Amino acid sequence: MKEEIHYLVGRENLKIVQNNKCFSFSLDSMLLPNFVTLNLRTKKILDIGCGNAPIPLILSERSKAHIDGVEIQEEAYQMAKKSVQLNHKEDQIQVIHDDIHHYATLFDHEEYDVITCNPPYFEYHDSSIVNEDQQKTIARHDKMLKMEDVMKISRKLLKNNGILALVQRPERLVDIITMMRKNNIEPKKMLLIYPKRGKDANILLIEGMKNGKPGLKILNPIYSHNENHEYSDELKKFLRMNG
């Protein structure tokens, strides 16, 4: 399949290499790096399952922190490397071709200030109906990376008071909060995205703090599209879109 170069939505200063054979970046990958809490103490960030690197690229615009992106799939990893090079971000972003389960064993503990993850949405079972394309199956179903794996890895690799930020489906909220607390990650911030007014929420953004104090802040909801089926002004503002 032919690779193509596109601009990240609303960001004419960031280009990304894509291939329609692979699972391309989506709105979720734009939302998460704009949602996660970053500050001057953020020195090192990990993006689990970075794909072709949309999240690391946007994070690099919000922070001077070093960013590691770990990707298990060869083709996505190669596109991520090209995307980083295309934007001259090699000094800030490192893309690593590895299984996150193995990568996590390379460190004793407490390596990162922030971890982001856009994990597979669907739980995988033997009876699951999956895409014939193995790459898309891995991206969409938790065959290789389950939610609890993300929590355990984050518990190990996050520094004390470090941040884990996820984008998922709203129906997974209870499971996420339960698994966060089981792994000493306290839910601290949550945002629901609705496709438009009158529709159910379809995207959940949630952030937790390792060994944080109880107290969950629920942000005002965002409606992603207006009546003309275009991105809403509130979404554009949230995404810090150009213009």
Side-chain angles (χ1 to χ4, degrees):
M1 297 291 179
K2 184 179 179 182
E3 291 181 352
E4 298 178 347
I5 297 174
H6 298 275
Y7 288 104
L8 279 169
V9 178
R11 292 176 180 267
E12 294 183 358
N13 59 322
L14 290 177
K15 298 176 181 178
I16 192 162
V17 178
Q18 293 209 127
N19 179 327
N20 61 8
K21 180 181 177 183
C22 296
F23 198 55
S24 302
F25 81 92
S26 62
L27 178 60
D28 305 354
S29 300
M30 301 289 294
L31 290 164
L32 184 60
N34 285 289
F35 168 78
V36 63
T37 299
L38 304 176
N39 54 48
L40 294 176
R41 297 187 299 276
T42 304
K43 303 299 182 184
K44 197 169 183 183
I45 302 171
L46 171 66
D47 184 40
I48 298 175
C50 70
N52 54 346
I55 292 173
L57 287 172
I58 296 173
L59 288 172
S60 74
E61 297 286 291
R62 293 192 57 211
S63 173
K64 294 182 180 180
H66 173 81
I67 304 164
D68 288 327
V70 177
E71 175 54 48
I72 191 172
Q73 299 196 64
E74 172 70 26
E75 288 190 55
Y77 161 73
Q78 293 295 342
M79 288 190 292
K81 279 182 56 178
K82 293 174 184 177
S83 295
V84 171
Q85 294 166 357
L86 191 63
N87 292 281
H88 309 291
K89 298 280 188 177
E90 299 96 322
D91 291 340
Q92 186 178 8
I93 301 173
Q94 180 182 16
V95 185
I96 300 150
H97 184 215
D98 201 355
D99 184 331
I100 189 62
H101 297 89
H102 173 260
Y103 181 76
T105 67
L106 303 179
F107 306 95
D108 290 332
H109 58 82
E110 299 186 352
E111 183 73 17
Y112 292 95
D113 301 291
V114 171
I115 294 177
T116 57
C117 185
N118 180 3
Y121 276 176
F122 305 108
E123 293 184 271
Y124 179 82
H125 307 285
D126 290 338
S127 59
S128 297
I129 299 173
V130 298
N131 196 293
E132 291 182 3
D133 188 324
Q134 181 70 5
Q135 292 177 319
K136 292 184 177 179
T137 295
I138 291 173
R140 291 171 176 162
H141 292 79
D142 62 1
K143 186 176 182 179
M144 302 290 289
L145 181 66
K146 297 188 179 298
M147 183 63 67
E148 192 160 7
D149 296 334
V150 175
M151 302 299 177
K152 290 178 179 177
I153 290 166
S154 298
R155 178 181 181 176
K156 177 183 179 180
L157 296 185
L158 278 176
K159 296 178 182 177
N160 192 46
N161 293 328
I163 295 294
L164 168 65
L166 304 169
V167 57
Q168 249 290 352
R169 288 185 170 251
E171 52 262 38
R172 299 295 301 276
L173 174 60
V174 175
D175 291 339
I176 290 169
I177 289 177
T178 300
M179 285 186 275
M180 275 187 169
R181 284 192 151 176
K182 182 179 177 182
N183 288 280
N184 295 352
I185 299 170
E186 185 63 27
K188 298 294 292 182
K189 185 173 72 168
M190 188 182 95
L191 171 63
L192 287 172
I193 308 292
Y194 294 76
K196 61 192 304 184
R197 293 184 185 276
K199 299 290 186 180
D200 292 339
N202 62 343
I203 298 174
L204 165 70
L205 293 156
I206 188 166
E207 177 179 284
M209 177 182 289
K210 181 177 176 179
N211 298 323
K213 296 179 180 179
L216 175 61
K217 181 179 181 180
I218 301 177
L219 305 181
N220 290 331
I222 289 178
Y223 301 91
S224 60
H225 292 77
N226 59 29
E227 295 303 319
N228 296 322
H229 308 291
E230 299 169 338
Y231 282 153
S232 66
D233 290 341
E234 58 186 329
L235 181 72
K236 291 178 182 178
K237 182 178 180 180
F238 182 82
L239 295 179
R240 302 170 174 85
M241 288 172 64
N242 298 336

